[in-house]
Amino acid sequence: MRLHGTQMVNELGHLEIGGCDTVELAKQFGTPLYVMDEAHIRDICRQYHSSFVEGLKNSEVIYASKAFSTLAMCRIIDEEGLGLDVVSGGELYTALQANFAAARIYFHGNNKSREELAMAIKAGVGRIVVDNFFELSLLNELAQEMNQRVEVLLRVTPGIEAHTHEYIQTGQIDSKFGFTLPDGTADRAFDLALSYSNLVIKGIHAHIGSQIFELDSFRHEVQVMIDYMADIYKRTGFLLQELNLGGGFGIYYASGDDPARISDYAQTVQVALENACQKQKFPRPKIIVEPGRSIVGTAGTTLYTVGSIKEIPGVRKYVAVDGGMADNPRPALYQARYEAVLANRAKEETTEAVAVTGKCCESGDMLIWDIDLPKVKSGDLLAVSCTGAYNYSMSSNYNRLTRPGVVLVAGGHADVIVKRETHSDLLRNDVLPARLKYLQMASR
Ligand code: LLP
């Protein structure tokens, strides 16, 4: 397993993260456990800050909180001086409860409800990124009712196909997101938005996909978007000032993944921007990028305890852990690949190829199909790396498994930032109607 951030193997042969021995973490907090490496998150935020905010004048980096949204994470992002992207009332609520300045929040989503939009207007979020015609008129109506002028970006679908898993591709024409650019729908949306007196159009937004390795996709995106901004100017005389390029910068999960450097990403955007603006004689807009995965992905590690082991001679050896698709649905959803190490015996030679499976009642509940490990025993501690993004945030209670806790580690300290769920948490919202209580008693 490739080590990330502050991960290292200590003299006991144990995996250590943020100066904390993972064997001790497992003892203290139980497994499965999400471990988040604070120094690593901050380091990446700083790389984004120096590459974009400082490197590329007039730009902003906003963290896409869908990747991992908790109070502590919002505080770290705030402290690091980045903005925040939220996509629901729940993410907005989390940010506001964390005291995140509303003016630095962007509100996304393809089906924001009236309540969510009202909540965002009331809180004074910086930008609402309008996705469709329904939202456009709803937002204008609400803003009128609330006597507010709302600053918006229009989300367009530029018709760019980024090379990534089809479920996380978003820039292509056949997408549920945004106003289609090539067929003139985006023009109609723009003209309509312009006629709405309570909306102030600040710019446009696109997100072409996620886990993108080819910087060329971003170069292409900049070019298409600047061409479009110049078109709007020529057609209407309206000068859009902001260009939000979305997120999508890819990360390393497993061997074969070869992500670019954040500084190269910024450089690509910079050069593409200069060229496109020069070609169109268009003034450089403010640039916004929205990384999610690349800020937290490699900073997360999930610790599991090995339980049952099933060997089918000549076929496969299944090593089952105490979590699975409920805490990490990504392998089942996207054929995502992960690396792992026996955290309690991290220095030992690998001797056997095994499959790591979860404990959910379905065959698709696989975490890693093929991995070399030392001879695994029940009770071993397995650490799966790069689980910081879209793991906790996509976790479920499938099979009524309780969600793991999350600890934030730094400088030898571990702080719980999300408590492990208990069985009684599972029943928190269960209600037993009186008639069923009666039936239950009668049947005894
Ligand atoms: N901005 C917008 C408008 C987005 O839709 C997304 C991700 C991002 C930014 C952040 O993208 P990132 O930098 O994290 O790639 N659940 C999937 C990923 C879905 C991404 C959805 N949108 C996964 O686990 O791979």
mmCIF file with all atom_site columns, all heavy atoms in Angstrom, residues 64 66 85 108 155 168 205 207 209-211 246-249 290-293 330 334 390 394, ligand 1:
data_model
loop_
_atom_site.group_PDB
_atom_site.id
_atom_site.type_symbol
_atom_site.label_atom_id
_atom_site.label_alt_id
_atom_site.label_comp_id
_atom_site.label_asym_id
_atom_site.label_entity_id
_atom_site.label_seq_id
_atom_site.pdbx_PDB_ins_code
_atom_site.Cartn_x
_atom_site.Cartn_y
_atom_site.Cartn_z
_atom_site.occupancy
_atom_site.B_iso_or_equiv
_atom_site.pdbx_formal_charge
_atom_site.auth_seq_id
_atom_site.auth_comp_id
_atom_site.auth_asym_id
_atom_site.auth_atom_id
_atom_site.pdbx_PDB_model_num
ATOM   1   N N   . ALA A 1 64  ? -15.799 21.108 -2.020  1.00 0.00 ? 64  ALA A N   1
ATOM   2   C CA  . ALA A 1 64  ? -17.090 20.465 -2.280  1.00 0.00 ? 64  ALA A CA  1
ATOM   3   C C   . ALA A 1 64  ? -17.409 19.539 -1.103  1.00 0.00 ? 64  ALA A C   1
ATOM   4   O O   . ALA A 1 64  ? -16.896 18.427 -1.006  1.00 0.00 ? 64  ALA A O   1
ATOM   5   C CB  . ALA A 1 64  ? -17.028 19.677 -3.587  1.00 0.00 ? 64  ALA A CB  1
ATOM   6   N N   . LYS A 1 66  ? -19.722 17.713 -0.245  1.00 0.00 ? 66  LYS A N   1
ATOM   7   C CA  . LYS A 1 66  ? -20.351 16.396 -0.426  1.00 0.00 ? 66  LYS A CA  1
ATOM   8   C C   . LYS A 1 66  ? -19.339 15.284 -0.217  1.00 0.00 ? 66  LYS A C   1
ATOM   9   O O   . LYS A 1 66  ? -19.697 14.162 0.104   1.00 0.00 ? 66  LYS A O   1
ATOM   10  C CB  . LYS A 1 66  ? -21.001 16.296 -1.807  1.00 0.00 ? 66  LYS A CB  1
ATOM   11  C CG  . LYS A 1 66  ? -20.045 16.139 -2.954  1.00 0.00 ? 66  LYS A CG  1
ATOM   12  C CD  . LYS A 1 66  ? -20.646 16.582 -4.263  1.00 0.00 ? 66  LYS A CD  1
ATOM   13  C CE  . LYS A 1 66  ? -20.599 18.099 -4.339  1.00 0.00 ? 66  LYS A CE  1
ATOM   14  N NZ  . LYS A 1 66  ? -21.108 18.644 -5.586  1.00 0.00 ? 66  LYS A NZ  1
ATOM   15  N N   . ASP A 1 85  ? -18.702 24.490 -0.947  1.00 0.00 ? 85  ASP A N   1
ATOM   16  C CA  . ASP A 1 85  ? -19.800 24.168 -1.867  1.00 0.00 ? 85  ASP A CA  1
ATOM   17  C C   . ASP A 1 85  ? -20.738 23.233 -1.122  1.00 0.00 ? 85  ASP A C   1
ATOM   18  O O   . ASP A 1 85  ? -20.300 22.247 -0.546  1.00 0.00 ? 85  ASP A O   1
ATOM   19  C CB  . ASP A 1 85  ? -19.158 23.562 -3.139  1.00 0.00 ? 85  ASP A CB  1
ATOM   20  C CG  . ASP A 1 85  ? -19.941 22.461 -3.860  1.00 0.00 ? 85  ASP A CG  1
ATOM   21  O OD1 . ASP A 1 85  ? -21.038 22.087 -3.432  1.00 0.00 ? 85  ASP A OD1 1
ATOM   22  O OD2 . ASP A 1 85  ? -19.416 21.970 -4.877  1.00 0.00 ? 85  ASP A OD2 1
ATOM   23  N N   . HIS A 1 108 ? -25.242 24.503 -4.655  1.00 0.00 ? 108 HIS A N   1
ATOM   24  C CA  . HIS A 1 108 ? -25.457 23.748 -5.887  1.00 0.00 ? 108 HIS A CA  1
ATOM   25  C C   . HIS A 1 108 ? -26.649 22.814 -5.764  1.00 0.00 ? 108 HIS A C   1
ATOM   26  O O   . HIS A 1 108 ? -27.166 22.600 -4.677  1.00 0.00 ? 108 HIS A O   1
ATOM   27  C CB  . HIS A 1 108 ? -24.238 22.852 -6.152  1.00 0.00 ? 108 HIS A CB  1
ATOM   28  C CG  . HIS A 1 108 ? -23.058 23.572 -6.673  1.00 0.00 ? 108 HIS A CG  1
ATOM   29  N ND1 . HIS A 1 108 ? -22.941 23.920 -7.984  1.00 0.00 ? 108 HIS A ND1 1
ATOM   30  C CD2 . HIS A 1 108 ? -21.928 23.983 -6.064  1.00 0.00 ? 108 HIS A CD2 1
ATOM   31  C CE1 . HIS A 1 108 ? -21.790 24.524 -8.168  1.00 0.00 ? 108 HIS A CE1 1
ATOM   32  N NE2 . HIS A 1 108 ? -21.152 24.585 -7.022  1.00 0.00 ? 108 HIS A NE2 1
ATOM   33  N N   . ARG A 1 155 ? -25.523 27.216 -14.194 1.00 0.00 ? 155 ARG A N   1
ATOM   34  C CA  . ARG A 1 155 ? -24.767 26.004 -14.494 1.00 0.00 ? 155 ARG A CA  1
ATOM   35  C C   . ARG A 1 155 ? -25.036 25.570 -15.927 1.00 0.00 ? 155 ARG A C   1
ATOM   36  O O   . ARG A 1 155 ? -26.184 25.353 -16.315 1.00 0.00 ? 155 ARG A O   1
ATOM   37  C CB  . ARG A 1 155 ? -25.154 24.871 -13.550 1.00 0.00 ? 155 ARG A CB  1
ATOM   38  C CG  . ARG A 1 155 ? -24.457 23.581 -13.938 1.00 0.00 ? 155 ARG A CG  1
ATOM   39  C CD  . ARG A 1 155 ? -24.504 22.530 -12.890 1.00 0.00 ? 155 ARG A CD  1
ATOM   40  N NE  . ARG A 1 155 ? -23.724 21.376 -13.309 1.00 0.00 ? 155 ARG A NE  1
ATOM   41  C CZ  . ARG A 1 155 ? -23.330 20.418 -12.515 1.00 0.00 ? 155 ARG A CZ  1
ATOM   42  N NH1 . ARG A 1 155 ? -23.633 20.469 -11.244 1.00 0.00 ? 155 ARG A NH1 1
ATOM   43  N NH2 . ARG A 1 155 ? -22.624 19.392 -12.957 1.00 0.00 ? 155 ARG A NH2 1
ATOM   44  N N   . ILE A 1 168 ? -19.984 9.219  -12.808 1.00 0.00 ? 168 ILE A N   1
ATOM   45  C CA  . ILE A 1 168 ? -19.472 10.473 -12.254 1.00 0.00 ? 168 ILE A CA  1
ATOM   46  C C   . ILE A 1 168 ? -19.017 11.441 -13.351 1.00 0.00 ? 168 ILE A C   1
ATOM   47  O O   . ILE A 1 168 ? -18.332 12.401 -13.111 1.00 0.00 ? 168 ILE A O   1
ATOM   48  C CB  . ILE A 1 168 ? -18.367 10.236 -11.191 1.00 0.00 ? 168 ILE A CB  1
ATOM   49  C CG1 . ILE A 1 168 ? -17.266 9.304  -11.695 1.00 0.00 ? 168 ILE A CG1 1
ATOM   50  C CG2 . ILE A 1 168 ? -18.965 9.678  -9.915  1.00 0.00 ? 168 ILE A CG2 1
ATOM   51  C CD1 . ILE A 1 168 ? -16.148 9.060  -10.680 1.00 0.00 ? 168 ILE A CD1 1
ATOM   52  N N   . HIS A 1 205 ? -21.088 28.375 -14.509 1.00 0.00 ? 205 HIS A N   1
ATOM   53  C CA  . HIS A 1 205 ? -20.456 27.254 -13.832 1.00 0.00 ? 205 HIS A CA  1
ATOM   54  C C   . HIS A 1 205 ? -20.567 26.010 -14.695 1.00 0.00 ? 205 HIS A C   1
ATOM   55  O O   . HIS A 1 205 ? -21.563 25.814 -15.403 1.00 0.00 ? 205 HIS A O   1
ATOM   56  C CB  . HIS A 1 205 ? -21.178 26.998 -12.497 1.00 0.00 ? 205 HIS A CB  1
ATOM   57  C CG  . HIS A 1 205 ? -20.822 25.678 -11.868 1.00 0.00 ? 205 HIS A CG  1
ATOM   58  N ND1 . HIS A 1 205 ? -21.470 24.501 -12.187 1.00 0.00 ? 205 HIS A ND1 1
ATOM   59  C CD2 . HIS A 1 205 ? -19.886 25.351 -10.959 1.00 0.00 ? 205 HIS A CD2 1
ATOM   60  C CE1 . HIS A 1 205 ? -20.939 23.508 -11.496 1.00 0.00 ? 205 HIS A CE1 1
ATOM   61  N NE2 . HIS A 1 205 ? -19.975 23.994 -10.735 1.00 0.00 ? 205 HIS A NE2 1
ATOM   62  N N   . HIS A 1 207 ? -19.272 21.625 -14.371 1.00 0.00 ? 207 HIS A N   1
ATOM   63  C CA  . HIS A 1 207 ? -18.502 20.573 -13.673 1.00 0.00 ? 207 HIS A CA  1
ATOM   64  C C   . HIS A 1 207 ? -18.500 19.402 -14.640 1.00 0.00 ? 207 HIS A C   1
ATOM   65  O O   . HIS A 1 207 ? -19.552 18.871 -14.970 1.00 0.00 ? 207 HIS A O   1
ATOM   66  C CB  . HIS A 1 207 ? -19.208 20.220 -12.362 1.00 0.00 ? 207 HIS A CB  1
ATOM   67  C CG  . HIS A 1 207 ? -18.634 19.005 -11.684 1.00 0.00 ? 207 HIS A CG  1
ATOM   68  N ND1 . HIS A 1 207 ? -17.450 19.039 -10.996 1.00 0.00 ? 207 HIS A ND1 1
ATOM   69  C CD2 . HIS A 1 207 ? -19.086 17.733 -11.615 1.00 0.00 ? 207 HIS A CD2 1
ATOM   70  C CE1 . HIS A 1 207 ? -17.193 17.828 -10.519 1.00 0.00 ? 207 HIS A CE1 1
ATOM   71  N NE2 . HIS A 1 207 ? -18.174 17.018 -10.876 1.00 0.00 ? 207 HIS A NE2 1
ATOM   72  N N   . GLY A 1 209 ? -16.989 16.391 -14.477 1.00 0.00 ? 209 GLY A N   1
ATOM   73  C CA  . GLY A 1 209 ? -16.887 15.017 -13.997 1.00 0.00 ? 209 GLY A CA  1
ATOM   74  C C   . GLY A 1 209 ? -15.957 14.942 -12.806 1.00 0.00 ? 209 GLY A C   1
ATOM   75  O O   . GLY A 1 209 ? -15.478 15.970 -12.322 1.00 0.00 ? 209 GLY A O   1
ATOM   76  N N   . SER A 1 210 ? -15.722 13.730 -12.363 1.00 0.00 ? 210 SER A N   1
ATOM   77  C CA  . SER A 1 210 ? -14.964 13.545 -11.133 1.00 0.00 ? 210 SER A CA  1
ATOM   78  C C   . SER A 1 210 ? -13.883 12.492 -11.357 1.00 0.00 ? 210 SER A C   1
ATOM   79  O O   . SER A 1 210 ? -14.003 11.662 -12.257 1.00 0.00 ? 210 SER A O   1
ATOM   80  C CB  . SER A 1 210 ? -15.961 13.076 -10.068 1.00 0.00 ? 210 SER A CB  1
ATOM   81  O OG  . SER A 1 210 ? -15.517 13.385 -8.795  1.00 0.00 ? 210 SER A OG  1
ATOM   82  N N   . GLN A 1 211 ? -12.844 12.536 -10.522 1.00 0.00 ? 211 GLN A N   1
ATOM   83  C CA  . GLN A 1 211 ? -11.717 11.596 -10.633 1.00 0.00 ? 211 GLN A CA  1
ATOM   84  C C   . GLN A 1 211 ? -11.115 11.675 -12.051 1.00 0.00 ? 211 GLN A C   1
ATOM   85  O O   . GLN A 1 211 ? -10.924 10.666 -12.737 1.00 0.00 ? 211 GLN A O   1
ATOM   86  C CB  . GLN A 1 211 ? -12.187 10.173 -10.251 1.00 0.00 ? 211 GLN A CB  1
ATOM   87  C CG  . GLN A 1 211 ? -11.119 9.085  -10.210 1.00 0.00 ? 211 GLN A CG  1
ATOM   88  C CD  . GLN A 1 211 ? -9.985  9.372  -9.241  1.00 0.00 ? 211 GLN A CD  1
ATOM   89  O OE1 . GLN A 1 211 ? -9.927  10.404 -8.571  1.00 0.00 ? 211 GLN A OE1 1
ATOM   90  N NE2 . GLN A 1 211 ? -9.022  8.486  -9.131  1.00 0.00 ? 211 GLN A NE2 1
ATOM   91  N N   . GLY A 1 246 ? -15.944 24.029 -11.511 1.00 0.00 ? 246 GLY A N   1
ATOM   92  C CA  . GLY A 1 246 ? -16.329 22.787 -10.843 1.00 0.00 ? 246 GLY A CA  1
ATOM   93  C C   . GLY A 1 246 ? -15.126 22.100 -10.219 1.00 0.00 ? 246 GLY A C   1
ATOM   94  O O   . GLY A 1 246 ? -14.051 22.689 -10.072 1.00 0.00 ? 246 GLY A O   1
ATOM   95  N N   . GLY A 1 247 ? -15.324 20.840 -9.868  1.00 0.00 ? 247 GLY A N   1
ATOM   96  C CA  . GLY A 1 247 ? -14.229 20.075 -9.232  1.00 0.00 ? 247 GLY A CA  1
ATOM   97  C C   . GLY A 1 247 ? -13.756 18.999 -10.175 1.00 0.00 ? 247 GLY A C   1
ATOM   98  O O   . GLY A 1 247 ? -13.734 19.186 -11.390 1.00 0.00 ? 247 GLY A O   1
ATOM   99  N N   . GLY A 1 248 ? -13.382 17.863 -9.613  1.00 0.00 ? 248 GLY A N   1
ATOM   100 C CA  . GLY A 1 248 ? -13.084 16.715 -10.457 1.00 0.00 ? 248 GLY A CA  1
ATOM   101 C C   . GLY A 1 248 ? -11.651 16.258 -10.511 1.00 0.00 ? 248 GLY A C   1
ATOM   102 O O   . GLY A 1 248 ? -11.354 15.232 -11.130 1.00 0.00 ? 248 GLY A O   1
ATOM   103 N N   . PHE A 1 249 ? -10.739 16.996 -9.883  1.00 0.00 ? 249 PHE A N   1
ATOM   104 C CA  . PHE A 1 249 ? -9.319  16.638 -9.944  1.00 0.00 ? 249 PHE A CA  1
ATOM   105 C C   . PHE A 1 249 ? -9.108  15.255 -9.313  1.00 0.00 ? 249 PHE A C   1
ATOM   106 O O   . PHE A 1 249 ? -9.497  15.011 -8.180  1.00 0.00 ? 249 PHE A O   1
ATOM   107 C CB  . PHE A 1 249 ? -8.523  17.724 -9.204  1.00 0.00 ? 249 PHE A CB  1
ATOM   108 C CG  . PHE A 1 249 ? -7.040  17.594 -9.338  1.00 0.00 ? 249 PHE A CG  1
ATOM   109 C CD1 . PHE A 1 249 ? -6.425  17.796 -10.561 1.00 0.00 ? 249 PHE A CD1 1
ATOM   110 C CD2 . PHE A 1 249 ? -6.256  17.270 -8.236  1.00 0.00 ? 249 PHE A CD2 1
ATOM   111 C CE1 . PHE A 1 249 ? -5.051  17.679 -10.694 1.00 0.00 ? 249 PHE A CE1 1
ATOM   112 C CE2 . PHE A 1 249 ? -4.885  17.158 -8.356  1.00 0.00 ? 249 PHE A CE2 1
ATOM   113 C CZ  . PHE A 1 249 ? -4.280  17.360 -9.584  1.00 0.00 ? 249 PHE A CZ  1
ATOM   114 N N   . GLU A 1 290 ? -13.688 23.839 -7.483  1.00 0.00 ? 290 GLU A N   1
ATOM   115 C CA  . GLU A 1 290 ? -14.441 23.203 -6.397  1.00 0.00 ? 290 GLU A CA  1
ATOM   116 C C   . GLU A 1 290 ? -13.972 21.790 -6.099  1.00 0.00 ? 290 GLU A C   1
ATOM   117 O O   . GLU A 1 290 ? -14.718 20.835 -6.291  1.00 0.00 ? 290 GLU A O   1
ATOM   118 C CB  . GLU A 1 290 ? -15.919 23.083 -6.799  1.00 0.00 ? 290 GLU A CB  1
ATOM   119 C CG  . GLU A 1 290 ? -16.599 24.366 -7.060  1.00 0.00 ? 290 GLU A CG  1
ATOM   120 C CD  . GLU A 1 290 ? -18.008 24.168 -7.593  1.00 0.00 ? 290 GLU A CD  1
ATOM   121 O OE1 . GLU A 1 290 ? -18.273 23.180 -8.296  1.00 0.00 ? 290 GLU A OE1 1
ATOM   122 O OE2 . GLU A 1 290 ? -18.835 25.024 -7.311  1.00 0.00 ? 290 GLU A OE2 1
ATOM   123 N N   . PRO A 1 291 ? -12.753 21.611 -5.625  1.00 0.00 ? 291 PRO A N   1
ATOM   124 C CA  . PRO A 1 291 ? -12.287 20.260 -5.351  1.00 0.00 ? 291 PRO A CA  1
ATOM   125 C C   . PRO A 1 291 ? -12.971 19.659 -4.121  1.00 0.00 ? 291 PRO A C   1
ATOM   126 O O   . PRO A 1 291 ? -13.183 20.345 -3.119  1.00 0.00 ? 291 PRO A O   1
ATOM   127 C CB  . PRO A 1 291 ? -10.796 20.461 -5.076  1.00 0.00 ? 291 PRO A CB  1
ATOM   128 C CG  . PRO A 1 291 ? -10.703 21.867 -4.558  1.00 0.00 ? 291 PRO A CG  1
ATOM   129 C CD  . PRO A 1 291 ? -11.763 22.637 -5.298  1.00 0.00 ? 291 PRO A CD  1
ATOM   130 N N   . GLY A 1 292 ? -13.327 18.413 -4.222  1.00 0.00 ? 292 GLY A N   1
ATOM   131 C CA  . GLY A 1 292 ? -13.869 17.697 -3.056  1.00 0.00 ? 292 GLY A CA  1
ATOM   132 C C   . GLY A 1 292 ? -12.940 16.553 -2.736  1.00 0.00 ? 292 GLY A C   1
ATOM   133 O O   . GLY A 1 292 ? -12.149 16.580 -1.799  1.00 0.00 ? 292 GLY A O   1
ATOM   134 N N   . ARG A 1 293 ? -12.985 15.531 -3.612  1.00 0.00 ? 293 ARG A N   1
ATOM   135 C CA  . ARG A 1 293 ? -12.193 14.319 -3.433  1.00 0.00 ? 293 ARG A CA  1
ATOM   136 C C   . ARG A 1 293 ? -10.715 14.605 -3.172  1.00 0.00 ? 293 ARG A C   1
ATOM   137 O O   . ARG A 1 293 ? -10.107 14.016 -2.281  1.00 0.00 ? 293 ARG A O   1
ATOM   138 C CB  . ARG A 1 293 ? -12.315 13.480 -4.714  1.00 0.00 ? 293 ARG A CB  1
ATOM   139 C CG  . ARG A 1 293 ? -11.670 12.118 -4.641  1.00 0.00 ? 293 ARG A CG  1
ATOM   140 C CD  . ARG A 1 293 ? -11.586 11.487 -6.035  1.00 0.00 ? 293 ARG A CD  1
ATOM   141 N NE  . ARG A 1 293 ? -12.783 11.636 -6.808  1.00 0.00 ? 293 ARG A NE  1
ATOM   142 C CZ  . ARG A 1 293 ? -13.811 10.787 -6.810  1.00 0.00 ? 293 ARG A CZ  1
ATOM   143 N NH1 . ARG A 1 293 ? -13.750 9.695  -6.093  1.00 0.00 ? 293 ARG A NH1 1
ATOM   144 N NH2 . ARG A 1 293 ? -14.867 11.018 -7.548  1.00 0.00 ? 293 ARG A NH2 1
ATOM   145 N N   . ARG A 1 330 ? -18.348 2.488  -2.660  1.00 0.00 ? 330 ARG A N   1
ATOM   146 C CA  . ARG A 1 330 ? -17.732 2.853  -3.942  1.00 0.00 ? 330 ARG A CA  1
ATOM   147 C C   . ARG A 1 330 ? -17.300 1.668  -4.808  1.00 0.00 ? 330 ARG A C   1
ATOM   148 O O   . ARG A 1 330 ? -17.497 1.692  -6.019  1.00 0.00 ? 330 ARG A O   1
ATOM   149 C CB  . ARG A 1 330 ? -16.564 3.821  -3.709  1.00 0.00 ? 330 ARG A CB  1
ATOM   150 C CG  . ARG A 1 330 ? -17.010 5.132  -3.030  1.00 0.00 ? 330 ARG A CG  1
ATOM   151 C CD  . ARG A 1 330 ? -15.959 6.227  -3.098  1.00 0.00 ? 330 ARG A CD  1
ATOM   152 N NE  . ARG A 1 330 ? -15.757 6.700  -4.452  1.00 0.00 ? 330 ARG A NE  1
ATOM   153 C CZ  . ARG A 1 330 ? -14.773 6.342  -5.239  1.00 0.00 ? 330 ARG A CZ  1
ATOM   154 N NH1 . ARG A 1 330 ? -13.839 5.519  -4.792  1.00 0.00 ? 330 ARG A NH1 1
ATOM   155 N NH2 . ARG A 1 330 ? -14.690 6.815  -6.464  1.00 0.00 ? 330 ARG A NH2 1
ATOM   156 N N   . TYR A 1 334 ? -18.976 1.864  -8.314  1.00 0.00 ? 334 TYR A N   1
ATOM   157 C CA  . TYR A 1 334 ? -18.142 2.347  -9.429  1.00 0.00 ? 334 TYR A CA  1
ATOM   158 C C   . TYR A 1 334 ? -16.974 1.418  -9.758  1.00 0.00 ? 334 TYR A C   1
ATOM   159 O O   . TYR A 1 334 ? -16.022 1.845  -10.398 1.00 0.00 ? 334 TYR A O   1
ATOM   160 C CB  . TYR A 1 334 ? -17.526 3.718  -9.102  1.00 0.00 ? 334 TYR A CB  1
ATOM   161 C CG  . TYR A 1 334 ? -18.418 4.703  -8.405  1.00 0.00 ? 334 TYR A CG  1
ATOM   162 C CD1 . TYR A 1 334 ? -18.144 5.120  -7.108  1.00 0.00 ? 334 TYR A CD1 1
ATOM   163 C CD2 . TYR A 1 334 ? -19.533 5.237  -9.043  1.00 0.00 ? 334 TYR A CD2 1
ATOM   164 C CE1 . TYR A 1 334 ? -18.950 6.040  -6.456  1.00 0.00 ? 334 TYR A CE1 1
ATOM   165 C CE2 . TYR A 1 334 ? -20.338 6.151  -8.400  1.00 0.00 ? 334 TYR A CE2 1
ATOM   166 C CZ  . TYR A 1 334 ? -20.047 6.551  -7.109  1.00 0.00 ? 334 TYR A CZ  1
ATOM   167 O OH  . TYR A 1 334 ? -20.842 7.462  -6.469  1.00 0.00 ? 334 TYR A OH  1
ATOM   168 N N   . TYR A 1 390 ? -16.209 10.609 -0.078  1.00 0.00 ? 390 TYR A N   1
ATOM   169 C CA  . TYR A 1 390 ? -17.354 9.812  -0.520  1.00 0.00 ? 390 TYR A CA  1
ATOM   170 C C   . TYR A 1 390 ? -17.422 8.435  0.140   1.00 0.00 ? 390 TYR A C   1
ATOM   171 O O   . TYR A 1 390 ? -17.873 7.474  -0.491  1.00 0.00 ? 390 TYR A O   1
ATOM   172 C CB  . TYR A 1 390 ? -17.342 9.683  -2.063  1.00 0.00 ? 390 TYR A CB  1
ATOM   173 C CG  . TYR A 1 390 ? -17.302 11.016 -2.771  1.00 0.00 ? 390 TYR A CG  1
ATOM   174 C CD1 . TYR A 1 390 ? -16.189 11.431 -3.490  1.00 0.00 ? 390 TYR A CD1 1
ATOM   175 C CD2 . TYR A 1 390 ? -18.388 11.884 -2.694  1.00 0.00 ? 390 TYR A CD2 1
ATOM   176 C CE1 . TYR A 1 390 ? -16.152 12.668 -4.126  1.00 0.00 ? 390 TYR A CE1 1
ATOM   177 C CE2 . TYR A 1 390 ? -18.357 13.128 -3.325  1.00 0.00 ? 390 TYR A CE2 1
ATOM   178 C CZ  . TYR A 1 390 ? -17.240 13.506 -4.042  1.00 0.00 ? 390 TYR A CZ  1
ATOM   179 O OH  . TYR A 1 390 ? -17.201 14.727 -4.671  1.00 0.00 ? 390 TYR A OH  1
ATOM   180 N N   . MET A 1 394 ? -21.247 8.816  1.970   1.00 0.00 ? 394 MET A N   1
ATOM   181 C CA  . MET A 1 394 ? -22.155 7.931  1.227   1.00 0.00 ? 394 MET A CA  1
ATOM   182 C C   . MET A 1 394 ? -22.504 6.688  2.043   1.00 0.00 ? 394 MET A C   1
ATOM   183 O O   . MET A 1 394 ? -23.081 5.737  1.497   1.00 0.00 ? 394 MET A O   1
ATOM   184 C CB  . MET A 1 394 ? -21.517 7.512  -0.098  1.00 0.00 ? 394 MET A CB  1
ATOM   185 C CG  . MET A 1 394 ? -21.383 8.656  -1.081  1.00 0.00 ? 394 MET A CG  1
ATOM   186 S SD  . MET A 1 394 ? -20.578 8.151  -2.609  1.00 0.00 ? 394 MET A SD  1
ATOM   187 C CE  . MET A 1 394 ? -21.909 7.327  -3.439  1.00 0.00 ? 394 MET A CE  1
HETATM 188 N N1  . LLP B 2 .   ? -18.641 20.580 -7.982  1.00 0.00 ? 1   LLP B N1  1
HETATM 189 C C1  . LLP B 2 .   ? -19.743 19.970 -8.425  1.00 0.00 ? 1   LLP B C1  1
HETATM 190 C C2  . LLP B 2 .   ? -20.806 20.748 -9.034  1.00 0.00 ? 1   LLP B C2  1
HETATM 191 C C3  . LLP B 2 .   ? -19.870 18.572 -8.295  1.00 0.00 ? 1   LLP B C3  1
HETATM 192 O O1  . LLP B 2 .   ? -20.951 17.973 -8.754  1.00 0.00 ? 1   LLP B O1  1
HETATM 193 C C4  . LLP B 2 .   ? -18.824 17.828 -7.688  1.00 0.00 ? 1   LLP B C4  1
HETATM 194 C C5  . LLP B 2 .   ? -18.945 16.387 -7.513  1.00 0.00 ? 1   LLP B C5  1
HETATM 195 C C6  . LLP B 2 .   ? -17.698 18.519 -7.227  1.00 0.00 ? 1   LLP B C6  1
HETATM 196 C C7  . LLP B 2 .   ? -17.630 19.896 -7.403  1.00 0.00 ? 1   LLP B C7  1
HETATM 197 C C8  . LLP B 2 .   ? -16.551 17.827 -6.552  1.00 0.00 ? 1   LLP B C8  1
HETATM 198 O O2  . LLP B 2 .   ? -15.943 16.897 -7.378  1.00 0.00 ? 1   LLP B O2  1
HETATM 199 P P1  . LLP B 2 .   ? -14.615 16.151 -6.897  1.00 0.00 ? 1   LLP B P1  1
HETATM 200 O O3  . LLP B 2 .   ? -13.516 17.172 -6.818  1.00 0.00 ? 1   LLP B O3  1
HETATM 201 O O4  . LLP B 2 .   ? -14.884 15.554 -5.568  1.00 0.00 ? 1   LLP B O4  1
HETATM 202 O O5  . LLP B 2 .   ? -14.357 15.140 -7.940  1.00 0.00 ? 1   LLP B O5  1
HETATM 203 N N2  . LLP B 2 .   ? -19.759 9.807  -5.321  1.00 0.00 ? 1   LLP B N2  1
HETATM 204 C C9  . LLP B 2 .   ? -18.812 9.818  -6.406  1.00 0.00 ? 1   LLP B C9  1
HETATM 205 C C10 . LLP B 2 .   ? -18.402 11.209 -6.784  1.00 0.00 ? 1   LLP B C10 1
HETATM 206 C C11 . LLP B 2 .   ? -19.550 12.080 -7.188  1.00 0.00 ? 1   LLP B C11 1
HETATM 207 C C12 . LLP B 2 .   ? -19.128 13.481 -7.487  1.00 0.00 ? 1   LLP B C12 1
HETATM 208 C C13 . LLP B 2 .   ? -20.284 14.379 -7.616  1.00 0.00 ? 1   LLP B C13 1
HETATM 209 N N3  . LLP B 2 .   ? -19.971 15.741 -7.855  1.00 0.00 ? 1   LLP B N3  1
HETATM 210 C C14 . LLP B 2 .   ? -17.602 8.980  -6.024  1.00 0.00 ? 1   LLP B C14 1
HETATM 211 O O6  . LLP B 2 .   ? -17.592 8.412  -4.938  1.00 0.00 ? 1   LLP B O6  1
HETATM 212 O O7  . LLP B 2 .   ? -16.658 8.852  -6.805  1.00 0.00 ? 1   LLP B O7  1
#
